[in-house]
Amino acid sequence: MTAPGGAGEPWILALDTATSQIVVGAGRLDGRIILARSRPAGFRHGELLLDEVQSLMAEAGLRRDELAGLVVGTGPGAFTGLRVGLATAKTLAHALGLPIVGVSTAEALLLAAGSPGIEAAPLDLTLLLPAGPRDQVIVRAGAQPRRLPSGTPIEADPATTLVAVDLEDRAPDDAVARGAAARDGLCAALLQLGSARLRSGQLDDAEQLVPDYVTLPRGITASSGSIEWTTDRR
């Protein structure tokens, strides 16, 4: 996936590790994509993420000294993947002295799902994400994510279109297909949302930027340090 623009121009790096895929992308300051890459993480986010960033830069012919800012997906997502993505983005921002913005992965997925090719307006979409092996997280445009324990019925308006990400065999086939398409468009949506905030100066403090976890490691039940349990909002 590419956009016009040659080497020598400032660029933005986008990272997301909230889903089962590692997503990395480069874009111009106006949000146009230069190149996007994704690959299954397989619980190896920490091992694979920086390699994907380096491969992206090499393939697109991008230079580190032309990097102008970072965009990172903040979830909702599982503990390990989000921790790796946020820590990597924050470390790069600190080491290179670059601005950083966190963008809700759910908001970006809803934006991607409302793009041409999926027959639903963004406000008519309901996003479903996994929360461990049985529970789910439900997200509607303009609303906070809400955790649904296993077996809880989804009280969706009949006009709502379900978009299920990483829920193969746990959601209707058409919803899973929409989720796969939305995940394919995740990088473009992150760049669109993140570049707008970078241009307007709506930056995040890297030290205060925290992910939106949906699952924590067994035995961790409370906030501690930079670990925040943020999805239990009922």
Side-chain angles (χ1 to χ4, degrees):
M1 185 183 299
T2 60
E9 298 180 39
W11 62 284
I12 300 168
L13 176 64
L15 308 174
D16 190 276
T17 53
T19 73
S20 63
Q21 301 279 324
I22 288 175
V23 174
V24 300
R28 295 303 179 196
L29 299 183
D30 61 2
R32 289 176 300 147
I33 286 184
I34 299 169
L35 182 66
R37 295 170 61 99
S38 66
R39 64 177 296 180
F43 304 105
R44 298 168 62 206
H45 297 82
E47 178 184 344
L48 300 174
L49 180 56
L50 283 177
D51 285 345
E52 284 299 303
V53 173
Q54 292 171 349
S55 296
L56 173 89
M57 292 175 62
E59 183 177 349
L62 298 168
R63 292 171 41 180
R64 189 179 67 180
D65 60 1
E66 293 166 348
L67 180 58
L70 293 109
V71 178
V72 60
T74 59
F79 177 83
T80 301
L82 279 178
R83 182 181 60 173
V84 168
L86 267 289
T88 300
K90 291 163 70 168
T91 299
L92 289 172
H94 177 76
L96 301 176
L98 294 173
I100 184 172
V101 295
V103 172
S104 164
T105 305
E107 181 182 356
L109 285 167
L110 284 168
L111 177 62
S115 300
I118 298 181
E119 296 179 358
L123 291 178
D124 295 329
L125 297 171
T126 294
L127 179 66
L128 296 176
L129 299 165
R134 291 177 296 275
D135 296 352
Q136 296 182 5
V137 169
I138 184 170
V139 189
R140 294 186 176 93
Q144 296 285 2
R146 182 165 58 93
R147 186 166 180 143
L148 296 177
S150 177
T152 303
I154 300 170
E155 298 176 357
D157 185 284
T160 295
T161 300
L162 294 178
V163 180
V165 175
D166 292 337
L167 285 169
E168 290 79 2
D169 301 322
R170 295 168 59 188
D173 290 345
D174 57 345
V176 170
R178 292 186 202 101
R183 196 175 56 196
D184 288 345
L186 176 57
C187 187
L190 286 170
L191 285 168
Q192 180 179 335
L193 295 169
S195 65
R197 286 186 50 197
L198 287 168
R199 292 194 305 272
S200 65
Q202 299 177 48
L203 310 179
D204 284 305
D205 180 342
E207 293 185 3
Q208 301 300 318
L209 187 59
V210 295
D212 195 2
Y213 295 121
V214 296
T215 57
L216 292 173
R218 183 171 298 176
I220 295 180
T221 58
S223 299
S224 174
S226 62
I227 299 173
E228 297 288 340
W229 177 263
T230 58
T231 58
D232 188 11
R233 295 168 175 151
R234 290 173 294 172

